[in-house]
Amino acid sequence: GTLQNLKLPDYPEDWKDKHIIKCAYALFDQHDPNDEDSLNPKELPALLRNFTSEMHLFWDCPKVAPEWSDDIAKDLTLKYEKSTAKTLTFREFLPLFEEFFIARYKKTIAAAGTAAQ
């Protein structure tokens, strides 16, 4: 997997900023094969499905429905459409990744842990 070899902590709630950035960069890089520092917003659903799948497989996080990824991709696209550019650079992608992926994923993990108790 894209994230498996990044030496990330065992528990995503323990990830520091550098781990989040490493994760975002690896995912962005995978979807930017020409190394042009650009990501088509239409690729966001696939990127998100890849991320949530790896989180489930390698970090034993709760399985997330594909619709969840697609809903967040729609949120990202709506937020991004305010921009005039046709593609996202990594600098534009990183805050979106932090806001939507990590913040919401940590909430999902925390909620699952509370429900299990």
Side-chain angles (χ1 to χ4, degrees), residues 68-117:
W68 185 83
S69 299
D70 293 343
D71 287 346
I72 291 183
K74 286 177 192 171
D75 288 347
L76 280 169
T77 302
L78 288 173
K79 189 170 193 166
Y80 171 73
E81 283 176 351
K82 294 175 184 171
S83 166
T84 57
K86 299 283 187 220
T87 60
L88 285 168
T89 65
F90 180 73
R91 286 189 183 267
E92 293 166 327
F93 171 74
L94 182 59
L96 296 175
F97 181 85
E98 291 172 326
E99 179 182 344
F100 287 94
F101 303 98
I102 301 303
R104 290 191 184 189
Y105 221 100
K106 285 187 178 185
K107 287 179 187 174
T108 302
I109 293 166
T114 303
Q117 294 176 358

Side-chain angles (χ1 to χ4, degrees), residues 4-21:
Q4 189 177 14
N5 298 321
L6 295 180
K7 298 182 182 174
L8 298 168
D10 291 337
Y11 302 101
E13 57 268 25
D14 295 336
W15 290 9
K16 307 285 187 240
D17 286 346
K18 74 175 193 172
H19 302 120
I20 295 167
I21 292 168

Side-chain angles (χ1 to χ4, degrees), residues 11-47:
Y11 302 101
E13 57 268 25
D14 295 336
W15 290 9
K16 307 285 187 240
D17 286 346
K18 74 175 193 172
H19 302 120
I20 295 167
I21 292 168
K22 282 170 65 171
C23 181
Y25 180 79
L27 289 166
F28 186 93
D29 199 45
Q30 180 186 25
H31 291 269
D32 180 24
N34 298 328
D35 204 26
E36 296 173 344
D37 191 31
S38 67
L39 178 71
N40 185 323
K42 292 178 183 176
E43 295 180 63
L44 290 174
L47 186 150

